């Protein structure tokens, strides 16, 4: 991603996941913002945004963080929200094992409390180990936990699979985590 696309992506993460009010934007219950309104409000707040730029970010974003509605009139973040939204994702059967990347300094606390969503709405899990390493690196020395996802789902926990392939669950109790 170019620097310009990256900075636009960070701005969109801010307003579509965490602080829509920073530019006076309103998200609907499912997290959608009206595209025309987003463009207008962004430009009013010194953030030059055009439809072409939005389309470029959606198409080229490294993690496919944002998606347009089918008619193109709305846009939302596919996951990662701290504001309360109901993404209306279908409950999906996870694979046997999912991974969570964290930092070594959080491990003791996770052993006590299990995985908690923190400021976000969900704990984020990935199907592959390599992604978990990258996610953990954002916080420090990475440490990858294995989650017995299928067993957890069979015990009644609901898993969701976001449009950009992140597995989401409200929390992971410690008995389903392998620390190795
Ligand atoms: C940790 C990125 C102590 C948790 C990524 C993590 C992801 C605990 C941190 C997405 C804990 C929260 C989310 C406990 C969890 N005690 N620490 N009991 N339970 N933690 O950033 O999963 O680039 O909110 O291990 O790719 O790191 O933004 O979550 O280290 O998908 O699109 O608390 O963000 O995507 O950190 O990352 P975060 P995350 P984007």
């Amino acid at each position: 991603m170019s620097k310009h696309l990256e900075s636009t992506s960070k701005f969109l993460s801010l307003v579509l996941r965490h602080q829509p009010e920073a530019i006076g934007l309103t998200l609907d219950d499912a997290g959608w913002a009206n595209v025309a309104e987003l463009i207008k409000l962004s430009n009013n707040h010194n953030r030059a945004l055009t439809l072409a730029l939005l389309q470029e970010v959606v198409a080229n974003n490294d993690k496919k963080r944002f998606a347009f509605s089918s008619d193109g009139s709305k846009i939302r973040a596919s996951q990662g929200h701290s504001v309360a939204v109901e993404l209306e994702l279908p409950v999906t059967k996870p694979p046997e094992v999912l991974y969570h990347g964290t930092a070594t300094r959080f491990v003791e606390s996770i052993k006590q409390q299990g995985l908690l969503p923190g400021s976000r709405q969900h704990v984020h899990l990935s199907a592959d180990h390599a992604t978990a390493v990258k996610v953990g690196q954002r916080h420090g020395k990475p440490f990858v936990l294995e989650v017995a996802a299928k067993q957890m789902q069979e015990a009644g926990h609901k898993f969701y699979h976001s449009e950009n392939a992140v597995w989401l669950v409200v929390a992971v109790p410690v008995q389903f985590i392998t620390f190795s």
Side-chain angles (χ1 to χ4, degrees):
M1 255 196 309
S2 76
K3 281 268 173 269
H4 187 211
L5 289 188
E6 197 181 317
S7 107
T8 307
S9 167
K10 287 198 169 145
F11 167 74
L12 292 176
S13 284
L14 176 78
V15 297
L16 297 178
R17 286 172 166 178
H18 306 300
Q19 280 178 46
E21 70 280 5
I23 58 166
L25 184 68
T26 323
L27 307 183
D28 74 10
D29 293 347
W32 295 107
N34 178 283
V35 169
E37 195 184 325
L38 169 66
I39 291 173
K40 186 165 160 246
L41 289 169
S42 301
N43 285 298
N44 287 349
H45 288 79
N46 297 320
R47 168 63 63 165
L49 196 62
T50 59
L51 181 57
L53 180 56
L54 268 185
Q55 286 167 337
E56 207 180 336
V57 173
V58 170
N60 297 326
N61 195 254
D62 55 351
K63 291 189 188 168
K64 300 264 176 258
R65 289 180 180 87
F66 315 103
F68 285 111
S69 58
S70 49
D71 68 358
S73 69
K74 296 185 286 184
I75 185 170
R76 75 174 178 184
S78 295
Q79 37 69 228
H81 300 80
S82 57
V83 293
V85 294
E86 183 44 70
L87 293 174
E88 293 164 349
L89 297 171
V91 175
T92 308
K93 272 194 184 173
E96 187 85 34
V97 169
L98 287 171
Y99 300 94
H100 177 85
T102 189
T104 48
R105 70 179 188 286
F106 297 146
V107 170
E108 273 318 305
S109 162
I110 296 170
K111 280 185 180 164
Q112 301 297 318
Q113 304 178 315
L115 282 168
L116 301 173
S119 62
R120 300 191 198 249
Q121 292 214 288
H122 296 100
V123 170
H124 290 216
L125 304 168
S126 63
D128 68 298
H129 190 274
T131 299
V133 173
K134 278 193 217 149
V135 173
Q137 271 166 349
R138 293 160 52 251
H139 300 286
K141 187 164 179 249
F143 189 95
V144 175
L145 311 174
E146 238 180 75
V147 173
K150 185 159 177 275
Q151 202 189 330
M152 215 178 129
Q153 186 256 329
E154 285 166 1
H157 296 266
K158 288 182 182 148
F159 285 79
Y160 305 91
H161 197 215
S162 75
E163 210 168 312
N164 60 339
V166 176
W167 285 93
L168 305 169
V169 67
V170 167
V172 181
V174 74
Q175 70 264 32
F176 298 107
I177 305 175
T178 304
F179 300 84
S180 50

